[in-house]
Amino acid sequence: MTVAVRAESVTKSFAAGTRALDDVSLSVRHGEVLVVMGPSGSGKSTLIRTFNGLESIDSGSLDVVGIPLDCDHDERQIRRIRRRVGMVFQQFNLFPHLTILQNITLAPIQVKSVPKPMAERRAHALLDQMGIADQALKYPAQLSGGQQQRVAIARALALDPELMLFDEPTSALDPERVKEVLDAMRQLADDGMTMVVVTHELGFAREVADRVLFMDGGRVVELTDAETFFTHAKEERSQRFLNQMAH
Amino acid sequence: MQSCFSVVLLALIAWALWSTGFWLVQRADWSVVSGNLPLFAIGSYPEASRWRPILWLGSLLLLTLFTLAQPLLLRRGIGLNSTILSWSWLLMMPLGLWLLAGGGVLDPVPSRLWGGLVLTLLLTVFSGVIALPLGVLLALGRCSELTTARQLSKIYIDGMRAVPLIAVLFFGQLLLPLFLPVQIEINRLLRAVVAFGLFAAAYVAEDVRGGLQAVPPTQSEAAAALGLGPWQIQRLVILPQALRIAVPALTNQAVGLLQNTSLMAILGLVELLGISQSLLANPAYIGRHLEVYVWLAALYWLLCTAMALMARQFERQDPSNLIATRRS
């Protein structure tokens, strides 16, 4: 099986009647980095949140790491997916009452019944990989935003996911903290992780993405390889967006 | 004009302090207190077994002092592990019950002989033990997505809060036995504790609900994204945060609980207030109301202050800084 995510004609509307996703179809191959771009309100966050069931879909079908997920929002299927798909949020969402180490070991111990010493060894290794090995016993509030986001990445990696979802991981960071998080993500991509990244970081997208998905108004405007997207985007809407981002 | 006012005010304060001090030292006859200290402490507990409640009071006092001195001791590297400390506090409950009621190697002592400070503490602790878990459950129910659970919790909470405590106590004491079959006779003390706990649970529930609502929804989202189930999310992520946030409000409840145990005197339980009233009914102490009530006030003040200090310490020691009243 080589496809990590397959979406077919996915549609979703919110209660207020806004159409968040309109007939979205795409697929993400294993080992691929897909960057999702678009103006705010274009449905990019909603899209990747459907991939692990944080948002339900109204019609169409989804297949994530080989597990089908359609409109009936089956809790069991969703939990099976979530065990194999990591997610990193814009606001980090670390658990403030737990230490960094406990944040990372919580899910392996509770969800996968990994013995505590093993989970902790793995957590230390992940923290080391993220360059924050010395922070294990601190609490989230004691860390900088960039460090917290790297902990969040380590927390998601602790379940050994096949797919990582990033929902604007650097948007809440101070500009000088953005690099350390992007570096960690770049490292992850180099190691062959399958990633879907919603971001406004053009440099990162240009450098790391295999393909770029450009969305507007809940629709797929363009889905091409990164090189093509940044040098000669086909659609007028994408060009306009890139121009605005460049200034 | 202003300075004139200040002088008058100062004179008034000085006069009040002087007359109070004079009364405390010179006029008051403290024999009613000093002669009855054991009665205030443990009521009319059988002479031969008096060491039991006294031992309990002593260990509580020691543990309180230890807890309050904890930061100082820790700085010198001789403090108790805080886990041991919390377990010792938990252990105090069954220990107290066993020491008072007897059983096993200890002679049984019926609960109508319990009294004084010991009874006040016992009532507070055990109604708290009922109120806290029940309150948490009610709060979870109130915030639940299940309509039935939400409605039931709402009805219970609103109902309990609409009834005065004294009515609930009377209901438990007088009416409950009427509804129950004759064979089932519940201990008077137990009835009071249960009624009190059920009442306090409604208020605890609202405090905990405040905590639950203060935890951002992104927390349960993040936990869900890690594959945790609904119960795991509540137990491991939401509740621990909600309870920490609710600590100041819960401290308030605990202090209220302690003070409200004095209402049980009306039901004939001889806790601190009950003991005082029975003392004042003794012809030997006629007209000593002021002394007894001043002493009682001081005693309650001391207990509540100890509770408040310990709660504040707990707040300060919380390394995650979640508790709502932080030092600025």
Side-chain angles (χ1 to χ4, degrees):
Chain A
M1 200 208 52
T2 52
V3 177
V5 183
R6 177 182 290 122
E8 263 158 41
S9 310
V10 168
T11 305
K12 175 172 181 72
S13 303
F14 285 119
T18 43
R19 180 148 276 214
L21 296 175
D22 192 355
D23 194 23
V24 174
S25 299
L26 62 95
S27 66
V28 182
R29 287 184 298 274
H30 265 292
E32 183 182 38
V33 177
L34 175 72
V35 164
V36 185
M37 301 189 105
S40 51
S42 60
K44 5 180 240 308
S45 285
T46 311
L47 177 68
I48 71 163
R49 286 163 61 88
T50 61
F51 291 174
N52 67 350
L54 286 182
E55 302 282 355
S56 60
I57 59 175
D58 297 340
S59 66
S61 71
L62 271 169
D63 187 297
V64 183
V65 291
I67 302 167
L69 185 60
D70 32 25
C71 320
D72 59 5
H73 209 70
D74 181 352
E75 276 300 326
R76 263 226 225 100
Q77 296 288 73
I78 289 174
R79 279 189 72 190
R80 274 179 66 210
I81 290 176
R82 284 172 180 166
R83 283 176 199 209
R84 293 161 59 183
V85 176
M87 188 166 203
V88 175
F89 299 87
Q90 182 177 350
Q91 299 291 346
F92 333 134
N93 297 357
L94 295 180
F95 307 129
H97 62 298
L98 300 178
T99 63
I100 300 307
L101 194 66
Q102 290 167 330
N103 261 280
I104 300 175
T105 55
L106 181 73
I109 293 174
Q110 298 292 334
V111 176
K112 286 197 166 167
S113 311
V114 177
K116 195 173 167 211
M118 242 170 92
E120 288 187 344
R121 217 172 315 132
R122 174 92 174 103
H124 281 297
L126 283 168
L127 284 174
D128 198 33
Q129 185 186 330
M130 291 292 139
I132 37 177
D134 49 342
Q135 312 287 345
L137 297 179
K138 289 192 183 166
Y139 284 83
Q142 296 167 301
L143 266 57
S144 73
Q147 289 172 325
Q148 288 193 49
Q149 193 59 298
R150 282 182 285 161
V151 173
I153 296 175
R155 180 175 70 176
L157 288 176
L159 285 172
D160 296 312
E162 295 162 47
L163 166 69
M164 285 283 285
L165 306 172
F166 292 85
D167 188 2
E168 302 204 28
T170 56
S171 299
L173 295 176
D174 291 338
E176 66 263 38
R177 296 290 186 180
V178 169
K179 189 177 170 298
E180 59 191 52
V181 172
L182 290 181
D183 284 345
M185 290 167 62
R186 192 172 293 132
Q187 184 61 48
L188 212 55
D190 288 346
D191 293 343
M193 175 63 75
T194 314
M195 294 163 56
V196 179
V197 186
V198 174
T199 185
H200 294 298
E201 296 290 331
L202 289 184
F204 175 83
R206 198 188 286 258
E207 198 186 326
V208 181
D210 295 309
R211 286 193 299 160
V212 173
L213 169 67
F214 184 78
M215 294 181 72
D216 191 22
R219 291 175 156 277
V220 176
V221 174
E222 197 161 350
L223 174 58
T224 66
D225 61 290
E227 180 65 30
T228 319
F229 182 77
F230 287 108
T231 48
H232 18 30
K234 231 172 18 218
E235 301 290 329
E236 186 266 336
R237 181 69 188 90
S238 329
Q239 289 165 0
R240 195 146 41 96
F241 179 79
L242 282 172
N243 273 330
Q244 274 167 352
M245 292 295 283
H247 292 299
Chain B
M1 181 62 202
Q2 206 174 358
S3 56
C4 192
F5 182 69
S6 306
V7 168
V8 171
L9 202 66
L10 273 176
L12 271 174
I13 293 173
W15 174 79
L17 281 178
W18 164 252
S19 58
T20 312
F22 182 74
W23 180 84
L24 283 175
V25 183
Q26 289 289 323
R27 300 265 302 279
D29 176 7
W30 293 109
S31 64
V32 58
V33 172
S34 59
N36 294 303
L37 279 179
L39 212 53
F40 278 110
I42 57 174
S44 44
Y45 206 80
E47 198 85 43
S49 307
R50 278 199 173 171
W51 61 272
R52 281 152 52 177
I54 288 174
L55 178 68
W56 191 54
L57 282 183
S59 13
L60 277 179
L61 182 66
L62 212 64
L63 203 52
T64 307
L65 290 177
F66 240 115
T67 310
L68 289 178
Q70 175 84 336
L72 240 120
L73 294 174
L74 275 181
R75 227 170 292 148
R76 300 189 181 172
I78 46 173
L80 274 176
N81 186 314
S82 53
T83 325
I84 298 179
L85 214 53
S86 359
W87 276 107
S88 322
W89 275 109
L90 282 180
L91 192 73
M92 277 297 137
M93 294 177 207
L95 181 73
L97 204 57
W98 178 57
L99 281 175
L100 278 171
V105 284
L106 299 177
D107 294 334
V109 173
S111 63
R112 65 192 147 77
L113 294 178
W114 308 357
L117 178 60
V118 172
L119 187 59
T120 292
L121 292 177
L122 210 71
L123 287 168
T124 311
V125 169
F126 283 94
S127 16
V129 165
I130 294 174
L132 190 62
L134 186 61
V136 168
L137 276 181
L138 283 168
L140 284 177
R142 185 100 148 84
C143 297
S144 158
E145 283 169 14
L146 302 168
T147 320
T148 335
R150 201 172 52 238
Q151 289 303 331
L152 283 178
S153 309
K154 213 163 120 55
I155 290 171
Y156 181 92
I157 294 169
D158 291 345
M160 264 306 178
R161 288 197 307 173
V163 180
L165 172 56
I166 194 70
V168 177
L169 289 177
F170 270 122
F171 184 84
Q173 227 33 245
L174 306 172
L175 296 180
L176 212 56
L178 292 182
F179 292 129
L180 291 172
V182 193
Q183 307 89 288
I184 305 181
E185 211 222 336
I186 320 176
N187 183 306
R188 196 163 55 131
L189 191 60
L190 188 65
R191 270 180 296 179
V193 166
V194 168
F196 200 25
L198 291 180
F199 178 83
Y203 290 83
V204 169
E206 286 299 271
D207 290 339
V208 175
R209 181 167 72 104
L212 285 172
Q213 286 174 340
V215 178
T218 48
Q219 285 287 309
S220 51
E221 203 164 74
L226 287 168
L228 295 168
W231 279 108
Q232 287 176 315
I233 295 175
Q234 286 298 339
R235 185 168 57 87
L236 300 165
V237 176
I238 307 300
L239 259 185
Q241 295 186 47
L243 287 177
R244 278 177 174 82
I245 294 169
V247 162
L250 289 175
T251 308
N252 217 8
Q253 286 305 334
V255 169
L257 210 59
L258 175 78
Q259 294 177 344
N260 283 340
T261 53
S262 55
L263 279 176
M264 311 250 188
I266 303 176
L267 303 176
L269 292 179
V270 279
E271 43 65 73
L272 274 177
L273 184 67
I275 282 282
S276 311
Q277 286 179 332
S278 61
L279 266 177
L280 286 171
N282 182 338
Y285 300 118
I286 272 177
R288 292 281 163 256
H289 287 84
L290 209 46
E291 283 85 349
V292 168
Y293 285 123
V294 165
W295 159 248
L296 263 194
L299 216 51
Y300 274 110
W301 175 81
L302 198 70
L303 291 173
C304 293
T305 306
M307 278 165 86
L309 283 176
M310 279 192 286
R312 196 164 311 156
Q313 190 162 315
F314 179 68
E315 289 168 28
R316 277 183 201 167
Q317 281 177 346
D318 175 44
S320 59
N321 247 339
L322 264 172
I323 294 175
T325 53
R326 283 169 219 164
R327 283 168 304 161
S328 45

